[in-house]
Amino acid sequence: MSIGKNVIHDSALGHVSGQSQYIDDIPSQKNEVYVGIVPSCFACADVKGISFEKLNSHPDFIMGITADDLHDNSWGTIVHDQPVLASQKVNYMSEPVALVVSKSRYSLQELIKLVDVDYREKKGIFTIDDAKLEKSTIYKAHPFKRGDVQKALKKSMHLLKGTFKCGGQEHFYLESQACIAYPDEDVMRVVSSSQHPSETQRVVAHALGLPLHHIVCEVKRMGGGFGGKESQGAPIAAYAAIVAKKLGKPARISLTVDEDMKITGKRHPFQNEYVVGFDNKGKITALKAHLQSDGGAYSDLSSSILERAMFHLDGAYYLENVEIKATCYKTNNHSNTAFRGFGGPQGNMTIESIIEDIAQTLGLDSYEIRKINCYRGSKNITPYGQKVENNMLPELFEKLHKTSQYKKRKKQVEEFNKKNKYKARGLSMTATKFGIAFTAKFLNQANALVNMHLDGTVQVSTGATEMGQGVNTKIQQTVASAFGIKPSSVKVMTTSTEKNHNTSATAASSGADLNCAAAFNACEMIKERLIQIAKNYNIKNEIEVSDSLKRTKGYTFKNEKVTSPSGKKYNLKDLITKAYLNRVSLGAYAHFKTKGLEFDKDKGWGSPFNYFSQGTAVSEVEVDLLTGELKVLRTDILMDLGRLINPGIDKGQTVGAFIQAMGWVTTENLCYDDKRNLLTHSPTTYKIPNIQDIPREFKVNFIQNHENKRNIFQSKAVGEPPFVLGISVWTAVKNALSVKCSSVVEMSSPATNENILITYEKHR
Ligand code: MTE
Ligand code: HPA
Ligand code: MOS
């Protein structure tokens, strides 16, 4: 049984030795051409004309492409409102307006600069406040309501009103958006860095005017996606494909980091208004909130992200009287998109910020406020009607409180703050209760193809895409344990729309949940046939095997042997050979769908999630009040991931997600000039965490929980939930400043050194 073991990540050796192949590592074919994007020079303008005239004398120039060359110039994962190439109008700075095709990748930047685009600049909308004034919206969600908020607010002992603001975030995947398109007679084969091969297939098909069966999208792996390649990889693939189709030659596109950062969308900045009522103990009696996000120029996944923010406003806390409204605004910023957590962090952070403020107002420790508001017992229904089953939150809070020595350290922090004039320390514990499932029900399905070979090894293909998160390894473990064979006897093959159709993005942390389950179902089909072979082992005539899905009970597959209920043992390999000789199929294709998901959007009520992955984290920070410098002294994390499929991978995901979130709430600050040029478009100015920034003491643990009956192997998804725990670093900074200033401190995220200083100066 390889479930629960630290089976080595299938790319680990390749990654450290440099042998893993990414898109741009694929050797060029001799007639290959290179594609570059011409970015707009204005955030909002009419486009009067595009001229490639000046490029004609350049020896490398092959041709220019505009919107007119596309069959259907619109795409969008939910609403088709985004042009593949802008025509007539540009709606954000650096929006792709044209393509140039070159014989050499090295002259692309030169060629791009030679393209003449005639713009008429117009006034743009750049902030949520301006969009509000102009009534420029992308989506208004149906509100969630429970109880009587107005009445409860009136009756509340205390009220706090405020606006919580958090910034966007650049994905900073190490492999930029990239694709090579290969014309293969009348099929276009796109090899892409995409979390969503089926969507890429569709966008390419529409852009080229071809039916879907003439497009194949293949993804071997990504050098990171983090949500940035859920939707936005698709138009990049269309750029390569349209050129490949026109020229009948392979076409390669691979953005530079600077281009990628300027052109592609990011995490949504939010600006959430709220009024909260609470009693003397800090029990929240009413919460009224309006979540507001900056969607940028086009819809993309913004409506779904906004809704996930609403679903996570409650965080780990029961809200009896609650009203949550939400609006996504349309601005002339880059089109914001999925990013690890998918709006969840922006919602969850709001309530954690509110709780810090309640604690400061009442002069209590925020941990006490969190504990009394935490979901427990019969107080286990979310504002949208889902019951929090298998709720581990109270245990997580209490255990981490103990193991992190919270009480003792809180005292030490207080003493430190009394003794130090120019330094302040803060301590804060936050939590997550992350809903697992795509909130659009139809996306919660997957299919798998399992092929068993005569030497007893297996190839498996699903729609899941590997981006470093280890989904391939978890699928490999699933198949190995199903057949009772070694993980090294299972190979997870390149993801391709040719083998797995109509797949969902590898997203919503449910890649492993859905695809492991589909692979498991396919294995069960083959196993049933092998069992029938075993039952009829000594029959002389050809063995007939019925493909009934009824699982014969009592047979076990272990150590490459199959054992009958009576204890008779067969070599798995012998059964495989016998199956083949008896003309019994050793391949299976299976489908899986998550059961029990029901949510009524018009009522804002139901159970959109399969289950919740949960966790708590406590962070201790020190800020220098003269320079704003921030040090994270210690972080303790405790998570409930059910029964871990691969502890090593799950720990890697937990640590990675936490640090990525810590970057979001501390140093990653997107800066623009007045025209909305992104100033922080490279690692020299955009500061992600590095090894020195991680907590000086960092403890990561998981609790034992084998009771999650709603997912394969009783596991729980890990990809996004720990991201939410990074918020504890920000609330710890807020705690440090609140205590030092003896007041509720309004601080936006990220808490950059500069922001820490400004906030301190404003409140002291
Ligand atoms: N881990 C790595 N190394 N690279 C990534 O791009 N993406 C995250 C998470 N972990 C990501 C990652 C995001 S946004 C999601 S939704 C999940 O992985 C997707 O994979 P899963 O559903 O298989 O967990
Ligand atoms: N999470 C992540 N990605 C998604 C979702 C979701 O709920 N819905 C569509 N894409
Ligand atoms: Mo993850 S943001 O759901 O790709």
Side-chain angles (χ1 to χ4, degrees):
M1 185 76 172
S2 65
I3 301 302
K5 301 260 164 67
N6 281 330
V7 173
I8 183 174
H9 189 295
D10 78 336
S11 302
L13 294 175
H15 284 354
V16 295
S17 65
Q19 283 172 314
S20 297
Q21 200 171 48
Y22 299 94
I23 300 295
D24 215 9
D25 295 324
I26 300 173
S28 298
Q29 291 194 357
K30 69 172 188 292
N31 55 349
E32 199 170 285
V33 299
Y34 300 87
V35 183
I37 297 174
V38 181
S40 74
C41 307
F42 293 95
C44 185
D46 288 329
V47 177
K48 295 293 179 192
I50 301 172
S51 164
F52 298 101
E53 190 72 38
K54 284 190 203 144
L55 287 85
N56 286 328
S57 56
H58 196 292
D60 288 347
F61 179 60
I62 298 173
M63 68 171 170
I65 298 272
T66 67
D68 295 340
D69 295 300
L70 300 166
H71 173 81
D72 177 351
N73 184 28
S74 71
W75 75 282
T77 308
I78 300 174
V79 190
H80 277 224
D81 68 345
Q82 182 159 2
V84 177
L85 287 171
S87 71
Q88 283 157 31
K89 201 174 173 324
V90 290
N91 287 309
Y92 73 91
M93 180 59 84
S94 300
E95 179 171 7
V97 284
L99 305 173
V100 291
V101 186
S102 175
K103 285 179 198 153
S104 156
R105 67 190 312 149
Y106 302 105
S107 52
L108 274 177
Q109 297 304 324
E110 237 172 274
L111 296 184
I112 288 167
K113 287 197 193 88
L114 290 172
V115 179
D116 274 324
V117 185
D118 184 12
Y119 297 100
R120 298 287 182 280
E121 191 180 2
K122 299 205 297 197
K123 192 171 165 284
I125 297 172
F126 302 130
T127 64
I128 290 176
D129 290 332
D130 287 346
K132 225 169 157 172
L133 285 176
E134 302 284 336
K135 296 194 166 49
S136 172
T137 58
I138 284 176
Y139 186 71
K140 254 188 171 43
H142 192 281
F144 297 168
K145 281 185 192 169
R146 177 169 59 194
D148 191 334
V149 173
Q150 237 28 57
K151 212 163 112 192
L153 280 173
K154 257 197 205 132
K155 280 192 5 204
S156 295
M157 287 179 187
H158 305 271
L159 287 181
L160 271 178
K161 214 174 152 170
T163 305
F164 165 77
K165 288 185 192 171
C166 58
Q169 186 180 21
E170 159 61 37
H171 298 86
F172 223 98
Y173 29 64
L174 291 181
E175 182 194 30
S176 300
Q177 303 276 1
C179 176
I180 310 175
Y182 298 97
D184 180 0
E185 297 189 359
D186 59 355
V187 169
M188 185 59 70
R189 198 171 283 277
V190 295
V191 181
S192 164
S193 186
S194 162
Q195 287 173 246
H196 200 345
S198 288
E199 171 71 0
T200 300
Q201 177 192 25
R202 290 190 282 259
V203 171
V204 168
H206 291 155
L208 270 52
L210 292 173
L212 289 169
H213 70 307
H214 282 241
I215 312 291
V216 175
C217 175
E218 282 175 20
V219 179
K220 189 179 189 66
R221 64 163 62 79
M222 281 157 277
F226 307 112
K229 295 170 181 171
E230 177 171 347
S231 59
Q232 301 204 358
I236 305 290
Y239 300 155
I242 187 66
V243 173
K245 180 165 181 254
K246 289 228 164 222
L247 297 173
K249 293 177 180 173
R252 176 182 304 236
I253 185 163
S254 177
L255 303 195
T256 64
V257 169
D258 292 55
E259 285 174 324
D260 194 306
M261 288 177 80
K262 288 179 188 172
I263 293 170
T264 62
K266 320 205 178 299
R267 180 184 295 283
H268 289 69
F270 272 66
Q271 186 170 314
N272 302 334
E273 297 165 355
Y274 61 83
V275 195
V276 62
F278 50 98
D279 68 15
N280 283 335
K281 287 192 173 136
K283 173 114 196 74
I284 296 173
T285 43
L287 175 66
K288 192 174 164 178
H290 185 195
L291 309 184
Q292 310 177 110
S293 68
D294 177 353
Y298 302 105
S299 300
D300 198 274
L301 294 157
S302 294
S303 56
S304 198
I305 289 162
L306 185 74
E307 280 161 358
R308 189 170 277 270
M310 298 168 79
F311 286 124
H312 289 80
L313 182 67
D314 61 339
Y317 316 105
Y318 177 72
L319 302 170
E320 192 155 350
N321 299 290
V322 55
E323 184 184 315
I324 308 167
K325 286 199 304 179
T327 314
C328 173
Y329 293 95
K330 190 180 176 78
T331 63
N332 293 101
N333 294 323
H334 41 65
S335 181
N336 289 321
T337 190
F339 195 142
R340 206 169 196 170
F342 207 72
Q346 295 96 316
N348 204 139
M349 197 162 170
T350 310
I351 191 106
E352 299 291 10
S353 172
I354 289 172
I355 288 179
E356 290 297 325
D357 292 347
I358 294 176
Q360 181 58 34
T361 304
L362 298 174
L364 295 172
D365 178 6
S366 61
Y367 173 75
E368 299 303 326
I369 317 273
R370 289 189 166 92
K371 225 176 111 177
I372 60 167
N373 286 293
C374 180
Y375 281 104
R376 74 173 74 227
S378 59
K379 299 205 181 307
N380 65 350
I381 308 291
T382 64
Y384 48 90
Q386 176 150 6
K387 194 168 161 192
V388 186
E389 282 170 10
N390 191 221
N391 180 20
M392 309 306 280
L393 287 166
E395 184 181 330
L396 289 165
F397 268 117
E398 279 151 36
K399 275 210 169 125
L400 193 63
H401 187 263
K402 246 193 225 131
T403 57
S404 69
Q405 299 186 294
Y406 184 98
K407 224 169 156 176
K408 184 176 119 200
R409 288 168 57 210
K410 188 86 197 175
K411 277 219 178 75
Q412 290 170 348
V413 165
E414 276 164 15
E415 275 159 29
F416 179 93
N417 285 335
K418 270 188 214 134
K419 276 196 213 134
N420 285 274
K421 190 166 174 195
Y422 300 117
K423 284 200 161 102
R425 284 190 180 172
L427 184 72
S428 177
M429 191 186 301
T430 64
T432 180
K433 174 190 105 293
F434 201 86
I436 302 300
F438 286 96
T439 53
K441 184 175 160 183
F442 73 95
L443 294 173
N444 295 287
Q445 58 173 316
N447 60 77
L449 175 67
V450 173
N451 289 331
M452 189 154 224
H453 298 286
L454 290 182
D455 61 356
T457 63
V458 181
Q459 291 177 322
V460 52
S461 305
T462 73
T465 53
E466 177 61 52
M467 57 195 105
Q469 86 279 39
V471 68
N472 279 4
T473 309
K474 289 182 177 178
I475 294 169
Q476 181 189 17
Q477 288 175 268
T478 301
V479 174
S481 89
F483 287 121
I485 56 180
K486 296 191 291 284
S488 57
S489 298
V490 180
K491 182 84 198 145
V492 179
M493 307 305 289
T494 295
T495 310
S496 166
T497 55
E498 209 167 19
K499 291 175 287 182
N500 300 96
H501 59 93
N502 302 305
T503 53
S504 299
T506 307
S509 300
S510 49
D513 289 22
L514 296 168
N515 292 284
C516 287
F520 183 85
N521 287 351
C523 295
E524 286 297 296
M525 290 162 70
I526 298 172
K527 281 164 74 177
E528 177 58 30
R529 295 181 205 140
L530 293 174
I531 288 168
Q532 291 183 40
I533 297 283
K535 277 180 166 172
N536 300 296
Y537 203 83
N538 296 321
I539 289 180
K540 288 262 155 36
N541 297 334
E542 186 170 83
I543 303 170
E544 283 294 329
V545 162
S546 79
D547 230 344
S548 88
L549 281 175
K550 263 193 263 142
R551 179 86 166 82
T552 308
K553 292 227 162 54
Y555 281 79
T556 56
F557 287 66
K558 218 176 152 183
N559 297 334
E560 294 173 21
K561 298 243 173 347
V562 179
T563 312
S564 78
S566 65
K568 200 161 164 34
K569 278 194 179 356
Y570 304 85
N571 279 327
L572 179 66
K573 245 186 247 171
D574 292 344
L575 293 181
I576 291 169
T577 308
K578 196 140 186 129
Y580 174 66
L581 294 175
N582 282 274
R583 298 188 294 177
V584 171
S585 168
L586 287 161
Y589 163 86
H591 183 257
F592 172 80
K593 62 177 179 178
T594 312
K595 301 215 173 60
L597 307 174
E598 246 2 292
F599 185 75
D600 185 336
K601 254 191 172 186
D602 297 329
K603 294 200 180 98
W605 199 258
S607 294
F609 300 118
N610 190 27
Y611 61 88
F612 296 97
S613 290
Q614 303 176 325
T616 44
V618 52
S619 292
E620 183 178 347
V621 302
E622 182 177 306
V623 293
D624 184 317
L625 299 169
L626 297 174
T627 62
E629 189 195 1
L630 166 67
K631 284 185 198 151
V632 185
L633 302 178
R634 173 169 167 184
T635 293
D636 297 55
I637 290 176
L638 186 61
M639 291 205 78
D640 159 37
L641 298 176
R643 198 170 146 224
L644 308 186
I645 293 181
N646 188 319
I649 284 176
D650 290 338
K651 188 168 183 189
Q653 283 290 293
T654 304
V655 169
F658 180 90
I659 297 298
Q660 192 172 39
M662 194 186 83
W664 174 50
V665 301
T666 59
T667 57
E668 295 183 36
N669 195 21
L670 294 162
C671 298
Y672 305 85
D673 70 8
D674 292 345
K675 294 182 71 183
R676 296 310 275 179
N677 278 302
L678 180 65
L679 297 171
T680 48
H681 55 76
S682 87
T684 52
T685 44
Y686 186 76
K687 173 72 180 86
I688 63 167
N690 66 6
I691 197 73
Q692 291 114 291
D693 300 314
I694 68 170
R696 280 148 175 74
E697 252 185 281
F698 198 13
K699 299 179 203 276
V700 179
N701 284 297
F702 304 101
I703 56 169
Q704 286 270 338
N705 171 17
H706 290 188
E707 298 306 313
N708 182 31
K709 309 227 156 59
R710 302 193 52 109
N711 194 32
I712 185 157
F713 306 127
Q714 298 84 49
S715 67
K716 288 190 177 186
V718 64
E720 295 165 290
F723 186 95
V724 182
L725 298 176
I727 291 168
S728 63
V729 172
W730 183 85
T731 49
V733 173
K734 196 167 151 124
N735 171 246
L737 294 180
S738 300
V739 169
K740 209 73 193 175
C741 304
S742 306
S743 82
V744 168
V745 157
E746 198 168 301
M747 179 174 73
S748 60
S749 175
T752 57
N753 298 352
E754 186 184 14
N755 191 17
I756 288 172
L757 265 193
I758 291 171
T759 306
Y760 176 60
E761 289 303 323
K762 225 167 45 191
H763 292 88
R764 83 195 177 108

PDB file of all heavy atoms in Angstrom, residues 195 226-227 230 338-342 506-508 720, ligand 3:
ATOM      1  N   GLN A 195      -2.920  25.031 -17.041  1.00  0.00           N
ATOM      2  CA  GLN A 195      -3.621  24.234 -16.031  1.00  0.00           C
ATOM      3  C   GLN A 195      -4.905  23.662 -16.597  1.00  0.00           C
ATOM      4  O   GLN A 195      -5.602  22.916 -15.923  1.00  0.00           O
ATOM      5  CB  GLN A 195      -3.984  25.113 -14.825  1.00  0.00           C
ATOM      6  CG  GLN A 195      -2.826  25.505 -13.944  1.00  0.00           C
ATOM      7  CD  GLN A 195      -3.229  26.508 -12.878  1.00  0.00           C
ATOM      8  OE1 GLN A 195      -2.779  27.644 -12.899  1.00  0.00           O
ATOM      9  NE2 GLN A 195      -4.068  26.121 -11.941  1.00  0.00           N
ATOM     10  N   PHE A 226      -0.154  28.213 -10.157  1.00  0.00           N
ATOM     11  CA  PHE A 226      -0.732  28.984  -9.045  1.00  0.00           C
ATOM     12  C   PHE A 226      -2.044  29.675  -9.395  1.00  0.00           C
ATOM     13  O   PHE A 226      -2.408  30.668  -8.782  1.00  0.00           O
ATOM     14  CB  PHE A 226       0.287  29.993  -8.488  1.00  0.00           C
ATOM     15  CG  PHE A 226       1.598  29.371  -8.107  1.00  0.00           C
ATOM     16  CD1 PHE A 226       2.755  29.646  -8.817  1.00  0.00           C
ATOM     17  CD2 PHE A 226       1.668  28.458  -7.060  1.00  0.00           C
ATOM     18  CE1 PHE A 226       3.966  29.039  -8.491  1.00  0.00           C
ATOM     19  CE2 PHE A 226       2.876  27.849  -6.715  1.00  0.00           C
ATOM     20  CZ  PHE A 226       4.025  28.140  -7.430  1.00  0.00           C
ATOM     21  N   GLY A 227      -2.732  29.201 -10.411  1.00  0.00           N
ATOM     22  CA  GLY A 227      -3.980  29.819 -10.848  1.00  0.00           C
ATOM     23  C   GLY A 227      -3.766  30.694 -12.080  1.00  0.00           C
ATOM     24  O   GLY A 227      -4.689  30.934 -12.853  1.00  0.00           O
ATOM     25  N   GLU A 230      -4.765  28.981 -15.260  1.00  0.00           N
ATOM     26  CA  GLU A 230      -6.075  28.320 -15.325  1.00  0.00           C
ATOM     27  C   GLU A 230      -6.831  28.811 -16.547  1.00  0.00           C
ATOM     28  O   GLU A 230      -7.378  28.035 -17.309  1.00  0.00           O
ATOM     29  CB  GLU A 230      -6.880  28.581 -14.045  1.00  0.00           C
ATOM     30  CG  GLU A 230      -8.274  27.962 -14.113  1.00  0.00           C
ATOM     31  CD  GLU A 230      -9.047  27.990 -12.793  1.00  0.00           C
ATOM     32  OE1 GLU A 230      -8.450  28.266 -11.744  1.00  0.00           O
ATOM     33  OE2 GLU A 230     -10.265  27.743 -12.838  1.00  0.00           O
ATOM     34  N   ALA A 338      -7.494  33.844 -11.457  1.00  0.00           N
ATOM     35  CA  ALA A 338      -7.317  32.888 -10.360  1.00  0.00           C
ATOM     36  C   ALA A 338      -5.928  33.021  -9.762  1.00  0.00           C
ATOM     37  O   ALA A 338      -4.949  33.221 -10.481  1.00  0.00           O
ATOM     38  CB  ALA A 338      -7.499  31.464 -10.890  1.00  0.00           C
ATOM     39  N   PHE A 339      -5.850  32.929  -8.471  1.00  0.00           N
ATOM     40  CA  PHE A 339      -4.571  32.827  -7.767  1.00  0.00           C
ATOM     41  C   PHE A 339      -4.839  32.079  -6.473  1.00  0.00           C
ATOM     42  O   PHE A 339      -5.736  32.451  -5.718  1.00  0.00           O
ATOM     43  CB  PHE A 339      -3.969  34.207  -7.482  1.00  0.00           C
ATOM     44  CG  PHE A 339      -2.509  34.178  -7.096  1.00  0.00           C
ATOM     45  CD1 PHE A 339      -1.646  35.167  -7.537  1.00  0.00           C
ATOM     46  CD2 PHE A 339      -1.991  33.159  -6.308  1.00  0.00           C
ATOM     47  CE1 PHE A 339      -0.292  35.142  -7.201  1.00  0.00           C
ATOM     48  CE2 PHE A 339      -0.639  33.121  -5.972  1.00  0.00           C
ATOM     49  CZ  PHE A 339       0.213  34.117  -6.405  1.00  0.00           C
ATOM     50  N   ARG A 340      -4.060  31.034  -6.249  1.00  0.00           N
ATOM     51  CA  ARG A 340      -4.123  30.181  -5.051  1.00  0.00           C
ATOM     52  C   ARG A 340      -5.027  30.756  -3.939  1.00  0.00           C
ATOM     53  O   ARG A 340      -4.716  31.785  -3.343  1.00  0.00           O
ATOM     54  CB  ARG A 340      -2.719  29.986  -4.518  1.00  0.00           C
ATOM     55  CG  ARG A 340      -2.529  28.702  -3.734  1.00  0.00           C
ATOM     56  CD  ARG A 340      -1.068  28.489  -3.497  1.00  0.00           C
ATOM     57  NE  ARG A 340      -0.779  27.125  -3.096  1.00  0.00           N
ATOM     58  CZ  ARG A 340       0.449  26.628  -3.007  1.00  0.00           C
ATOM     59  NH1 ARG A 340       1.474  27.375  -3.290  1.00  0.00           N
ATOM     60  NH2 ARG A 340       0.639  25.383  -2.647  1.00  0.00           N
ATOM     61  N   GLY A 341      -6.125  30.097  -3.737  1.00  0.00           N
ATOM     62  CA  GLY A 341      -7.103  30.547  -2.743  1.00  0.00           C
ATOM     63  C   GLY A 341      -8.351  31.090  -3.395  1.00  0.00           C
ATOM     64  O   GLY A 341      -9.440  31.032  -2.839  1.00  0.00           O
ATOM     65  N   PHE A 342      -8.159  31.675  -4.616  1.00  0.00           N
ATOM     66  CA  PHE A 342      -9.286  32.006  -5.492  1.00  0.00           C
ATOM     67  C   PHE A 342     -10.327  32.893  -4.793  1.00  0.00           C
ATOM     68  O   PHE A 342     -11.520  32.610  -4.821  1.00  0.00           O
ATOM     69  CB  PHE A 342      -9.938  30.684  -5.944  1.00  0.00           C
ATOM     70  CG  PHE A 342     -10.657  30.720  -7.259  1.00  0.00           C
ATOM     71  CD1 PHE A 342      -9.978  30.809  -8.458  1.00  0.00           C
ATOM     72  CD2 PHE A 342     -12.048  30.640  -7.309  1.00  0.00           C
ATOM     73  CE1 PHE A 342     -10.659  30.811  -9.677  1.00  0.00           C
ATOM     74  CE2 PHE A 342     -12.742  30.653  -8.526  1.00  0.00           C
ATOM     75  CZ  PHE A 342     -12.032  30.723  -9.712  1.00  0.00           C
ATOM     76  N   THR A 506      -7.046  21.968 -13.609  1.00  0.00           N
ATOM     77  CA  THR A 506      -6.471  21.458 -12.359  1.00  0.00           C
ATOM     78  C   THR A 506      -6.436  22.657 -11.431  1.00  0.00           C
ATOM     79  O   THR A 506      -5.589  23.542 -11.549  1.00  0.00           O
ATOM     80  CB  THR A 506      -5.069  20.882 -12.594  1.00  0.00           C
ATOM     81  OG1 THR A 506      -5.165  19.944 -13.656  1.00  0.00           O
ATOM     82  CG2 THR A 506      -4.540  20.200 -11.344  1.00  0.00           C
ATOM     83  N   ALA A 507      -7.430  22.725 -10.575  1.00  0.00           N
ATOM     84  CA  ALA A 507      -7.643  23.935  -9.783  1.00  0.00           C
ATOM     85  C   ALA A 507      -8.562  23.601  -8.623  1.00  0.00           C
ATOM     86  O   ALA A 507      -8.973  22.447  -8.455  1.00  0.00           O
ATOM     87  CB  ALA A 507      -8.262  25.024 -10.652  1.00  0.00           C
ATOM     88  N   ALA A 508      -8.878  24.640  -7.858  1.00  0.00           N
ATOM     89  CA  ALA A 508      -9.769  24.488  -6.706  1.00  0.00           C
ATOM     90  C   ALA A 508      -9.243  23.430  -5.726  1.00  0.00           C
ATOM     91  O   ALA A 508     -10.018  22.836  -4.986  1.00  0.00           O
ATOM     92  CB  ALA A 508     -11.197  24.161  -7.158  1.00  0.00           C
ATOM     93  N   GLU A 720      -4.510  24.752  -1.805  1.00  0.00           N
ATOM     94  CA  GLU A 720      -4.738  26.151  -1.453  1.00  0.00           C
ATOM     95  C   GLU A 720      -4.923  26.432   0.045  1.00  0.00           C
ATOM     96  O   GLU A 720      -4.547  27.499   0.518  1.00  0.00           O
ATOM     97  CB  GLU A 720      -5.976  26.669  -2.195  1.00  0.00           C
ATOM     98  CG  GLU A 720      -5.810  26.714  -3.703  1.00  0.00           C
ATOM     99  CD  GLU A 720      -7.157  26.883  -4.401  1.00  0.00           C
ATOM    100  OE1 GLU A 720      -7.956  25.924  -4.384  1.00  0.00           O
ATOM    101  OE2 GLU A 720      -7.402  27.969  -4.926  1.00  0.00           O
TER     102      GLU A 720
HETATM  103 MO1  MOS B   3      -5.868  27.308  -8.112  1.00  0.00          MO
HETATM  104  S1  MOS B   3      -6.175  29.318  -7.923  1.00  0.00           S
HETATM  105  O1  MOS B   3      -7.627  26.986  -8.026  1.00  0.00           O
HETATM  106  O2  MOS B   3      -5.499  27.227  -9.767  1.00  0.00           O
END
